[in-house]
Amino acid sequence: MIAESAVLKLGSTIAGHAAKAWLQRRKTRFERGASLAELAQVELKGPLRQRKLSNLVERIGNQVAEQVAPVIEQRFGDVPEHEAEAAVLAVVDVLEGVDLSDRGLLAADADAEVLARQVRRQFPGRAGALSERAALVHELALDQACRHLVQVVRYLPSFQPTALAEVLGRLTAQADQLDQLLARTPVTSLYAPAGTDRDEEFRAEYLRHVANVLDRLELLGLPGDEQPRLALTVAYLSLSVSGGGRRTRPHPMRWLDRQPGREAEGVPVEAAIGERTRVLLRGEAGSGKTTLLNWLAVRAARGELSGPLAEWNGRVPFVVRLRSHAEGDLPMPERFPGDCAAPIADLAPAGWVHRLLRAGEAMLLVDGVDEVPAARRRAVKVWLRELLQAFPDVRVVVTSRTAAADSRWLADDGFSAVTLEPMNSANISVFVERWHEAAELPGSSAERRMRSQLERPHLRELAGSPLLCAMLCALNLSHRSELPRNRMDLYAKALAMLLHLRDAERGIAGLLSDTEKRVLLRDLAWRLTLANKVEFPAPEVLEHIARKLPAMPDVDAEAEVLFKHLLERSGVLREPVPGRIDFVHRTFLEYLAADEAIQQHHIGTLVAHAHLDTWWETVVMACGHATAKQASELLTGVLNRAEEEPSGARHLRLLAAACLETVKDISPEVRARIDAMVGAKLVPPRSLRETQSLASIGHRVLRYLPTSLDGLSEAQAAATVRAAALTATTEALPLLGRYAQDSREKVQQELWKAWHYFDPELFSEEVLADSPLHNGRLRIDSTRFLEHVHRVRSLSSLEVFLPAYRPVRDLNFTSGVPRLTALKFWSASVIDLASLGVHAELVRLEVSHASGFDGMSALGELPLRLLSLGSLAGQTDLAPIGEMATLRTLHLEKATVEGIRSLGEMSHIGWASLFNCDISPDSVVRAFPLARGLNCVHGAPLDLARFVELPLEFLILQNVEIEDLSAVTRMAGLRELSLWRVNFDRDLTPLRDTNLKKLTLPLGEEFLGLGALSPSLKISYWG
């Protein structure tokens, strides 16, 4: 029997929380920590009315107890009374201590399951001291408490200030209605058909499993029995991504930049993903896409994501390998756990995945759009769209090879696209170091030999891919001769090492010769390619081997024995999940399929499939395997199709040009035809977007690019610079050096970005040293370039804009920097500004998120025109800023009322931005009496009427509370008004009597009076 006293106490606690939420619902001015008694004293005058509230709370508590007790008794009547009482009282303790200050948790439309999860998060493991059965009582009681609490909050009506006494009387007389409502409170729900009491237990088990299974990195090139146990999270190497993001309207808080959207050039991939909620991650074969998803899953499972990805913690990762769903239905949520936690997937509580998706507590990591047939990708897009329509708060990363999905493929569904860049010299050096450490050979002769060989430009180009860099390390370890000069030779030697040399060196006899292994693997790879698959069921692989054996007279072993041998000893086949067979990397599949196509002279089949992106690498490598006659026939067929099929012509022409990378011998006529085609149809690129596809040709595009930018439009010239830069080879430097003589702004901007792709010293010497720049201006976004800027002879204005994901601790990096005119950086430290006093040309300074500032007086001698400082919390003396007569734009973050007053009168300020400052309208008007632009970001009520005195033309209001927009009608000069999360009566009608030219509103919010506004008023929306 469940102890009645414990259940009554639980009911009383629930009723108390509900009553507090009810009273707080009407007024925002209540302190969220106020007690029920304090709230009652404010709202109810006189002890009689307060007593009515007390009686109501007591009665609700009794009613809740009467409903909860039978539910617990029915399920756990066999639990000893003292244990059940302890479990229920533990729930009471949790509810009495829980922070329910988030108004959404107990709003009229509150979700009981979200509330239960919040409570469990604040008090994890509270049932740990209970017995196993008592712990189950605790979980059920907590779920029921949250459900009843939400039901009571929904039951209590809204009221006006004068009507509370009447409402109390009516509620007292309608006790039976609450009884009926509570009686209908479900023990289960649509998203929790079996309750939620096992959710946290399974969640913990699932996260442990994901972390253990995926936190492993295989060193490609080492056989399975030589693989060290290498933790992915230890060996993980952060790479960079570039461009491709969807252009959106800027968030109003980025008003200083005045730039619509920022492309993610050279941004760490973690930062690019962390800034977004939906990302399409594109990359070439072996660029690290799958490794990144596994790393995200492991770090999320352990709650160890940091920096820009910190907000992704607390979300359960679900990795969906599309290769495993190339046929049949795409997985619905209940099947998500099966892709990386198959052994425990069936233990998931019913509806568990749906509950996480609905609450926004899941991340979906979808790997390999390119690994499903092209005809099926539309189904993948529809599958994603329907999932996100049902569960819009899920964070999603989707990966694909670049050829399979362009940057706009998922743009309509809110995805931003970024592309993994090749590893730069620093990345390669770290990769080589970690590879040898993992192979337990740090600092060995093999590592030293590898580093010396990487001095050769052609090997550095190959090593830009993590996959090829791993192959190079493995080959260097196995052979002490010179490494391959191209990737076809690299693949050939890597296969030889995996198929034969390791066993031979260790004296292990094989059932098959190297050639015989290749025959079987080629056949299997070709069959997979023809079927547009990347894996087969094990029985199907066995059938293919058995079908091939009659054509191999020297092989006597049974098919099953050979299958097992290939799986265990080839190093090329693997069984990632029981019963499914694939190649250790898709690159080997494509290389072997291409070899089979040429061996069997399937030229016509290759031409027929050349328009498919899944066949791109197979066709390119087939040209590398082919004789001169075969290569000429294949490329002639591709070029003929390009002329006959306009809709796919660009893809086919790019493919033909890309094949020149691997071709060893070809007829002069076909070569001349390709050269003419590239010059006439592909270069110079007409826009930056075209450079993405042009990059597929590789470094050979350099031979087709013009030697000068003369005669090209600025857009074409900028795109040509990017096309050369994307090759990232030293051969591009002389050409970029000639392009650098063009002083047009967009050309120079592309050169700034190109610096990231090359050795900083070489680039500064060979490209920038003699460049005229654009009006002598150079902008950099990394401190590693600073030591080289002195080589730029035309430099007259250096702008250093450091990204938020690379915060600085101090200003030592500015020492000795020449011609510094603009500086922008983020920091979490106290910044001493005194060292900036020597930079006499500094006109723009922006510091974000610093803990505070010293040495502010040193800025007084500088010709600053724009100053942005954050945070100024606790700093009351800002007088040195008030004395800066050259300032025209001022942005202050978290400044105090005293600090703003200390500015004095700054009549020279034309634009002021006050971000989360303690705003006193009077002090703002006194400080900036002639401001034409004002940006207020303020979390408290604001009296707009005081700003009527200012000659405002531009006004941005963010996160503020105002009564209405009537004051705007008295701002005669106001031309532009922007509203972002402004709490007011939502009525825009007053704006019809203004001279406004532009109004900007938050997308998706509803307003009154839009139809009454002037047709000439331009209305736009923050996206």
Side-chain angles (χ1 to χ4, degrees):
M1 182 70 180
I2 304 299
E4 289 185 357
S5 60
V7 179
L8 282 170
K9 192 168 184 181
L10 178 62
S12 177
T13 304
I14 292 169
H17 270 305
K20 282 184 62 178
W22 180 48
L23 293 180
Q24 285 176 325
R25 189 191 301 170
R26 192 181 64 80
K27 286 192 175 181
T28 59
R29 62 186 172 89
F30 283 136
E31 290 295 328
R32 295 188 179 184
S35 69
L36 180 57
E38 291 168 335
L39 293 171
Q41 286 175 3
V42 173
E43 285 294 314
L44 296 167
K45 304 305 180 183
L48 180 59
R49 292 178 179 178
Q50 292 174 19
R51 182 61 181 169
K52 280 188 176 182
L53 176 63
S54 177
N55 290 339
L56 175 64
V57 171
E58 182 180 358
R59 181 172 53 75
I60 291 175
N62 292 336
Q63 289 173 293
V64 170
E66 289 172 1
Q67 296 294 331
V68 172
V71 174
I72 299 176
E73 180 69 28
Q74 181 182 6
R75 288 199 182 185
F76 299 105
D78 60 332
V79 175
E81 183 176 348
H82 68 282
E83 292 188 15
E85 181 178 10
V88 174
L89 290 176
V91 174
V92 173
D93 290 342
V94 166
L95 291 178
E96 288 179 345
V98 72
D99 177 12
L100 298 178
S101 60
D102 183 346
R103 297 190 187 280
L105 290 174
L106 292 179
D109 59 349
D111 187 317
E113 288 155 22
V114 173
L115 175 61
R117 276 190 290 274
Q118 174 73 6
V119 173
R120 285 188 171 96
R121 285 221 177 76
Q122 290 186 32
F123 294 92
R126 274 302 177 96
L130 302 171
S131 69
E132 183 177 354
R133 293 284 289 165
L136 295 177
V137 174
H138 177 277
E139 295 302 303
L140 176 61
L142 180 55
D143 279 338
Q144 287 298 297
C146 291
R147 287 201 178 100
H148 283 79
L149 177 52
V150 167
Q151 288 283 47
V152 174
V153 169
R154 289 174 179 171
Y155 164 75
L156 297 173
S158 299
F159 60 89
Q160 295 301 316
T162 59
L164 179 55
E166 178 185 344
V167 169
L168 278 174
R170 188 168 64 248
L171 287 173
T172 303
Q174 295 175 344
D176 57 328
Q177 290 186 4
L178 181 59
D179 277 332
Q180 294 171 12
L181 179 68
L182 293 178
R184 294 195 298 270
T185 300
V187 178
T188 61
S189 68
L190 174 64
Y191 284 92
T196 61
D197 48 297
R198 294 176 51 240
D199 279 16
E200 292 302 315
E201 181 184 6
F202 181 78
R203 178 181 183 138
E205 182 63 24
Y206 173 81
L207 294 177
R208 277 194 298 270
H209 187 90
V210 168
N212 290 336
V213 169
L214 297 183
D215 194 13
R216 171 138 188 197
L217 187 66
E218 291 186 3
L219 293 186
L220 195 63
L222 294 182
D225 57 355
E226 293 186 14
Q227 285 284 345
R229 175 64 187 182
L230 176 60
L232 168 62
T233 47
V234 174
Y236 175 76
L237 177 65
S238 176
L239 299 177
S240 297
V241 295
S242 60
R246 215 177 32 136
R247 286 195 177 275
T248 59
R249 292 188 177 275
H251 189 285
M253 291 184 185
R254 302 195 194 104
W255 66 278
L256 276 175
D257 290 332
R258 290 300 197 196
Q259 294 177 354
R262 178 175 62 85
E263 290 196 352
E265 300 292 347
V267 175
V269 64
E270 303 84 7
I273 292 174
E275 290 177 352
R276 302 159 169 86
T277 57
R278 301 178 185 180
V279 176
L280 172 62
L281 179 68
R282 305 164 67 240
E284 300 301 333
S287 58
K289 301 182 294 296
T290 299
T291 299
L292 172 65
L293 286 199
N294 289 345
W295 179 84
L296 279 173
V298 172
R299 299 285 287 195
R302 293 176 178 157
E304 295 174 349
L305 292 168
S306 59
L309 284 168
E311 291 186 7
W312 290 52
N313 284 321
R315 290 173 170 82
V316 175
F318 295 107
V319 182
V320 176
R321 312 285 187 198
L322 288 177
R323 65 191 307 168
S324 300
H325 306 283
E327 296 178 326
D329 294 333
L330 289 161
M332 289 296 104
E334 66 272 10
R335 292 172 54 197
F336 286 175
D339 270 26
C340 57
I344 65 169
D346 290 342
L347 299 176
W352 177 67
V353 180
H354 288 84
R355 290 193 289 279
L356 292 174
L357 295 171
R358 182 170 176 246
E361 296 181 4
M363 67 171 73
L364 186 58
L365 307 174
V366 182
D367 190 30
V369 170
D370 54 286
E371 296 184 350
V372 298
R376 187 170 170 77
R377 287 179 201 151
R378 178 172 177 77
V380 172
K381 184 187 289 190
V382 171
W383 168 76
L384 271 172
R385 179 175 298 152
E386 290 178 348
L387 276 173
L388 294 176
Q389 285 173 346
F391 308 109
D393 296 328
V394 178
R395 303 211 174 192
V396 189
V397 181
V398 179
T399 72
S400 175
R401 286 193 184 180
T402 52
D406 66 25
S407 60
R408 296 164 297 170
W409 189 63
L410 292 173
D412 290 343
D413 297 306
F415 281 77
S416 297
V418 295
T419 303
L420 280 168
E421 296 179 343
M423 294 193 296
N424 57 31
S425 299
N427 294 145
I428 292 171
S429 178
V430 174
F431 187 100
V432 170
E433 178 183 359
R434 292 186 182 176
W435 193 97
H436 287 87
E437 286 179 353
E440 300 177 354
L441 294 166
S444 64
S445 59
E447 182 178 350
R448 292 193 296 273
R449 185 171 64 250
M450 180 69 195
R451 291 187 181 280
S452 66
Q453 296 213 59
L454 284 174
E455 294 298 318
R456 300 168 186 162
H458 73 278
L459 283 181
R460 277 205 306 274
E461 181 184 356
L462 287 176
S465 158
L467 169 70
L468 298 187
C469 194
M471 287 186 182
L472 287 169
C473 289
L475 282 174
N476 175 69
L477 182 62
S478 297
H479 311 291
R480 299 188 179 183
S481 57
E482 185 172 327
L483 289 171
R485 298 185 62 83
N486 60 67
R487 67 184 180 115
M488 288 297 291
D489 288 346
L490 176 58
Y491 296 154
K493 287 191 175 182
L495 275 171
M497 175 186 67
L498 291 171
L499 294 176
H500 176 69
L501 291 175
R502 283 283 181 181
D503 284 353
E505 289 174 358
R506 287 153 55 216
I508 297 176
L511 291 173
L512 297 167
S513 68
D514 182 30
T515 301
E516 290 164 341
K517 291 176 186 175
R518 281 178 179 269
V519 169
L520 289 174
L521 292 170
R522 281 198 329 247
D523 180 74
L524 181 59
W526 180 245
R527 292 179 184 277
L528 280 168
T529 302
L530 282 174
N532 278 319
K533 296 180 179 179
V534 293
E535 65 179 21
F536 275 147
E540 197 169 336
V541 175
L542 187 58
E543 288 177 14
H544 291 318
I545 292 174
R547 192 177 295 117
K548 186 65 179 177
L549 286 180
M552 304 174 68
D554 292 335
V555 178
D556 299 322
E558 295 293 327
E560 191 168 352
V561 175
L562 294 175
F563 174 36
K564 185 177 181 181
H565 178 73
L566 287 173
L567 198 56
E568 293 178 353
R569 300 304 314 158
S570 72
V572 179
L573 287 184
R574 65 176 183 175
E575 190 173 18
V577 295
R580 306 293 296 185
I581 308 301
D582 68 359
F583 283 77
V584 69
H585 197 279
R586 188 171 163 189
T587 297
F588 287 124
L589 182 155
E590 292 162 333
Y591 178 87
L592 289 164
D595 194 7
E596 178 72 3
I598 293 302
Q599 292 289 333
Q600 303 298 332
H601 200 73
H602 294 315
I603 304 300
T605 304
L606 291 169
V607 173
H609 290 82
H611 64 290
L612 298 174
D613 56 78
T614 50
W615 282 67
W616 179 289
E617 285 296 309
T618 303
V619 174
V620 169
M621 286 192 268
C623 284
H625 289 296
T627 64
K629 182 178 180 180
Q630 289 175 314
S632 299
E633 181 182 347
L634 174 54
L635 289 176
T636 297
V638 172
L639 291 171
N640 288 343
R641 281 196 65 189
E643 293 177 356
E644 297 164 1
E645 303 172 21
S647 62
R650 183 172 179 83
H651 176 95
L652 293 166
R653 287 168 179 150
L654 287 166
L655 175 60
C659 287
L660 294 183
E661 174 201 359
T662 59
V663 166
K664 299 184 292 289
D665 192 7
I666 195 173
S667 73
E669 294 80 12
V670 175
R671 167 64 188 278
R673 186 179 175 188
I674 292 175
D675 287 346
M677 176 273 296
V678 173
K681 301 293 186 180
L682 299 180
V683 298
R686 293 168 295 180
S687 65
L688 293 176
R689 186 166 62 85
E690 286 191 359
T691 62
Q692 295 296 321
S693 57
L694 200 58
S696 61
I697 298 177
H699 72 275
R700 284 151 195 81
V701 73
L702 295 172
R703 70 181 65 163
Y704 301 111
L705 294 176
T707 57
S708 167
L709 301 179
D710 294 346
L712 299 182
S713 69
E714 188 169 2
Q716 287 178 314
T720 301
V721 173
R722 182 176 291 190
L726 288 176
T727 65
T729 62
T730 53
E731 290 93 332
L733 291 176
L735 184 60
L736 288 170
R738 292 193 289 274
Y739 291 168
Q741 299 307 305
D742 190 316
S743 63
R744 285 178 286 183
E745 184 175 15
K746 290 182 179 178
V747 171
Q748 292 298 321
Q749 287 175 352
E750 286 303 316
L751 288 167
W752 302 344
K753 298 172 184 176
W755 207 344
H756 285 278
Y757 299 116
F758 301 90
D759 177 82
E761 183 176 1
L762 274 178
F763 192 86
S764 65
E765 289 178 344
E766 299 190 27
V767 178
L768 296 177
D770 295 317
S771 171
L773 305 178
H774 175 68
N775 297 327
R777 174 170 159 256
L778 176 64
R779 178 179 293 182
I780 62 174
D781 58 7
S782 174
T783 55
R784 67 191 183 101
F785 300 140
L786 287 174
E787 62 182 293
H788 308 292
V789 296
H790 68 276
R791 296 186 177 89
V792 186
R793 298 180 182 88
S794 298
L795 178 66
S796 61
S797 173
L798 177 63
E799 299 175 352
V800 180
F801 283 19
L802 303 180
Y805 52 81
R806 292 197 179 108
V808 302
R809 294 183 178 180
D810 53 50
L811 294 180
N812 291 342
F813 66 91
T814 65
S815 177
V817 172
R819 314 305 297 268
L820 183 64
T821 58
L823 176 61
K824 178 179 179 179
F825 63 91
W826 274 252
S827 178
S829 308
V830 175
I831 297 297
D832 187 351
L833 300 171
S835 60
L836 293 179
V838 300
H839 296 285
E841 299 173 81
L842 190 65
V843 296
R844 177 173 181 169
L845 175 63
E846 299 179 50
V847 189
S848 298
H849 297 170
S851 299
F853 296 93
D854 292 328
M856 200 177 295
S857 59
L859 303 181
E861 301 300 319
L862 300 178
L864 285 170
R865 295 184 64 82
L866 185 154
L867 178 63
S868 172
L869 295 179
S871 156
L872 294 165
Q875 296 195 227
T876 57
D877 184 9
L878 302 182
I881 296 176
E883 297 169 2
M884 299 178 189
T886 58
L887 276 183
R888 296 296 178 266
T889 300
L890 181 62
H891 173 101
L892 303 177
E893 181 178 352
K894 296 184 179 179
T896 63
V897 172
E898 295 79 5
I900 295 176
R901 287 173 179 162
S902 70
L903 293 172
E905 182 179 308
M906 300 185 72
S907 56
H908 47 283
I909 294 296
W911 192 297
S913 176
L914 303 173
F915 184 86
N916 287 342
C917 297
D918 293 332
I919 297 177
S920 162
D922 289 338
S923 62
V924 173
V925 171
R926 281 195 299 270
F928 314 115
L930 298 180
R932 296 185 305 108
L934 182 63
N935 182 11
C936 287
V937 186
H938 189 43
L942 187 65
D943 182 7
L944 279 187
R946 292 293 291 114
F947 295 150
V948 172
E949 299 177 30
L950 299 176
L952 291 176
E953 297 179 23
F954 309 93
L955 177 61
I956 302 176
L957 299 176
Q958 306 176 56
N959 296 331
V960 301
E961 182 178 337
I962 59 177
E963 287 190 11
D964 53 44
L965 294 175
S966 58
V968 176
T969 63
R970 304 200 301 277
M971 299 179 184
L974 195 65
R975 296 292 179 267
E976 295 187 17
L977 174 65
S978 297
L979 305 177
W980 178 264
R981 294 178 181 171
V982 177
N983 184 11
F984 70 115
D985 62 6
R986 322 297 287 174
D987 188 2
L988 302 177
T989 305
L991 299 183
R992 67 186 175 186
D993 300 321
T994 67
N995 296 318
L996 279 179
K997 301 299 182 185
K998 182 178 179 181
L999 172 64
T1000 306
L1001 303 170
L1003 186 64
E1005 295 190 20
E1006 295 184 1
F1007 295 91
L1008 303 174
L1010 269 174
L1013 301 182
S1014 169
S1016 63
L1017 176 61
K1018 181 180 179 181
I1019 300 177
S1020 58
Y1021 296 90
W1022 298 116

